[in-house]
Amino acid sequence: MSWIILNPPTIKAELQQPFAEQDFAYCQALSEALLKAPQSRDFPDLIALGFWLRQANLKPLLAPYQHSQHFIRQPLGLVFHSAPANVDSLFVYSGILSLLCGNKNVIRLSSRSGGSTAVLIEKIRALAELFPAQNARFQLVQCSYDSAELKALISTVNGRVLWGSDQAIQAQRQLTMPAHARELSFGHKFSLCLVGAEAVLATNHEQLQQLVQLFYRDQLTFAQQGCSSAKAVLWLGEAAQVQQAQQRFWPALTELIEHKQPLNSSEQYQALATAQQLIMSSEQQLMLTQQHSISRVAVNTLEPVFIDQHQGCGLFLELQLSDLTQLNPMLTQAHQTLTVWGVEPGLLKNWLTTAHTGIDRVMPVGQALSFSPDWDGVNLIEQFSRKVVSTF
């Protein structure tokens, strides 16, 4: 694939002071364009992105980084972002935070990106004339990994952000960047959802419906492909409690799924094929349960092989825990987000102090896909900027 610039600049890109008003205005304009677009109704990720881009959200989010008596914040420079193919709109979040830090950005989009990416490109191109400086600092390109233009670009960057599979990240690391440049990599992750069985049993019909809707938002907005979407459900409680809670929860969820139909036949087949593969490769005696388009596999422990082989698409591993510390030896660096519902906060905080490996984010169920400057244990604002320390 040749080097294709999707939103060609009309002026030269120049670094900007972080958190410039015109950059916030650009975000607001993109937000309004997305929220008003009829096409966005078909893409929940674009609606979520549109709300995130509002100045009313971004300014309070970034306010803690804007003033200090001890240093002056400056842009990092030229930042390259390699976007993942599985979550179409993810490139905007890191790209926009870098833009707001005053940087020049080049974002490589996958040729396999889906429909919401096309809508995003259209709206970004439409803003180029009104915001030429921001457009020049937010360049979208498509190219192959061995493109001569990409190699030349990487040799001059001040930072790069690599999203994708572990294999894709390792391949892109073959391109040499300057010694001073910073690298952030966000590889393959495996997220979890912790649910209190006793709390599920105590819900009325309305509360249960709210829970399954929040769970649906986290897991099935991207057919379970997002790195923060849970692939395993951890049930906290005694075995009998858990069984009763499952008998309430899963039928309510599958009823919602039947109405929304988020998974196509190919994805459902993928989930079943993956479940069978896990059963064959595991040393445990695993049990598969299918309810319409959802596949569930009961496990006694989380094995490393699950992280490598799980393909999402409506497949959930289920693990019963009577004590949260049982999870500790199962956690690895690949575990990212833990969404939680129905677990007492004090119990959760006490346990987290003992879990030294894995888990970078703990969020309420329904907020797994929300994006903040802290991602995978890394603060993006600090990484996308420099601190000029002054003792005067």
Side-chain angles (χ1 to χ4, degrees):
M1 180 191 299
S2 59
W3 180 266
I4 302 172
I5 302 176
L6 301 173
N7 58 326
T10 56
I11 64 174
K12 182 181 177 182
E14 300 286 354
L15 296 179
Q16 175 62 266
Q17 186 64 28
F19 314 124
E21 282 300 321
Q22 193 67 0
D23 289 347
F24 280 115
Y26 176 73
C27 295
Q28 181 67 30
L30 182 55
S31 167
E32 293 173 2
L34 291 174
L35 293 176
K36 291 177 182 177
Q39 311 98 299
S40 295
R41 298 171 191 162
D42 297 326
F43 302 105
D45 58 312
L46 293 185
I47 299 296
L49 176 61
F51 277 100
W52 185 83
L53 283 166
R54 292 172 301 137
Q55 289 192 66
N57 173 64
L58 290 175
K59 285 193 170 182
L61 190 69
L62 300 178
Y65 303 98
Q66 295 191 40
H67 304 288
S68 174
Q69 296 179 342
H70 307 293
F71 64 85
I72 299 170
R73 192 177 296 277
Q74 294 286 11
L76 181 62
L78 174 61
V79 181
F80 170 73
H81 308 251
S82 183
N86 60 335
V87 182
D88 296 341
S89 58
L90 189 57
F91 74 88
V92 180
Y93 291 95
S94 68
I96 285 293
L97 288 180
S98 181
L99 180 81
L100 289 167
C101 287
N103 295 311
K104 297 182 288 185
N105 300 275
V106 176
I107 303 164
R108 180 190 179 275
L109 303 183
S110 170
S111 59
R112 296 185 289 116
S113 296
S116 64
T117 296
V119 178
L120 273 167
I121 294 170
E122 176 192 334
K123 300 309 174 188
I124 289 170
R125 285 170 60 95
L127 292 174
E129 184 176 351
L130 189 59
F131 294 92
Q134 286 69 33
N135 183 69
R137 291 170 39 228
F138 198 72
Q139 287 293 285
L140 310 179
V141 304
Q142 287 183 325
C143 65
S144 59
Y145 287 144
D146 60 356
S147 160
E149 292 89 345
L150 179 60
K151 292 178 181 178
L153 173 73
I154 297 299
S155 70
T156 66
V157 298
N158 303 105
R160 67 179 171 192
V161 186
L162 305 179
W163 301 86
S165 68
D166 293 351
Q167 294 80 6
I169 287 174
Q170 295 289 18
Q172 292 181 80
R173 282 178 171 162
Q174 303 307 308
L175 299 182
T176 304
M177 64 179 187
H180 72 271
R182 300 177 186 177
E183 179 180 275
L184 301 179
S185 61
F186 301 99
H188 180 63
K189 293 290 183 177
F190 191 101
S191 292
L192 312 165
C193 179
L194 173 65
V195 181
E198 185 176 355
V200 171
L201 295 176
T203 59
N204 57 33
H205 176 75
E206 183 178 343
Q207 291 168 332
L208 181 62
Q209 291 303 309
Q210 183 183 41
L211 168 60
V212 297
Q213 296 230 15
L214 294 172
F215 184 90
Y216 175 96
R217 180 194 302 171
D218 283 348
Q219 285 30 290
L220 296 172
T221 297
F222 299 109
Q224 224 180 347
Q225 297 301 299
C227 58
S228 56
S229 296
K231 294 182 172 67
V233 180
L234 314 175
W235 292 96
L236 183 62
E238 298 306 319
Q241 278 183 321
V242 168
Q243 186 176 17
Q244 293 172 18
Q246 290 170 324
Q247 290 170 353
R248 288 202 71 199
F249 176 82
W250 291 112
L253 179 66
T254 53
E255 183 179 351
L256 176 65
I257 289 172
E258 282 184 48
H259 175 68
K260 291 183 175 286
Q261 296 183 330
L263 301 167
N264 58 41
S265 56
S266 175
E267 290 167 334
Q268 293 176 44
Y269 175 80
Q270 177 65 64
L272 178 58
T274 301
Q276 293 171 337
Q277 184 179 12
L278 293 179
I279 290 171
M280 289 186 291
S281 60
S282 174
E283 297 180 1
Q284 304 176 51
Q285 293 293 319
L286 304 182
M287 182 176 71
L288 171 64
T289 301
Q290 284 189 282
Q291 288 180 283
H292 302 288
S293 58
I294 291 296
S295 298
R296 298 156 46 204
V297 176
V299 302
N300 298 320
T301 186
L302 298 178
E303 300 179 32
V305 68
F306 297 160
I307 297 173
D308 297 330
Q309 295 185 6
H310 200 305
Q311 302 296 314
C313 300
L315 170 63
F316 295 94
L317 308 180
E318 290 189 276
L319 175 65
Q320 181 257 328
L321 300 170
S322 55
D323 189 295
L324 287 175
T325 57
Q326 294 173 259
L327 186 62
N328 291 7
M330 307 179 206
L331 295 176
T332 73
Q333 296 293 348
H335 291 111
Q336 187 211 56
T337 298
L338 178 72
T339 47
V340 182
W341 191 92
V343 177
E344 198 272 315
L347 178 68
L348 185 66
K349 289 181 180 178
N350 289 339
W351 164 68
L352 283 170
T353 63
T354 72
H356 303 310
T357 302
I359 306 298
D360 297 314
R361 303 170 70 234
V362 180
M363 308 290 287
V365 168
Q367 295 185 30
L369 301 177
S370 61
F371 197 89
S372 75
D374 292 299
W375 196 258
D376 280 12
V378 175
N379 186 278
L380 296 178
I381 301 301
E382 300 295 349
Q383 293 299 318
F384 288 152
S385 58
R386 297 181 302 110
K387 290 180 177 179
V388 180
V389 179
S390 174
T391 57
F392 292 94

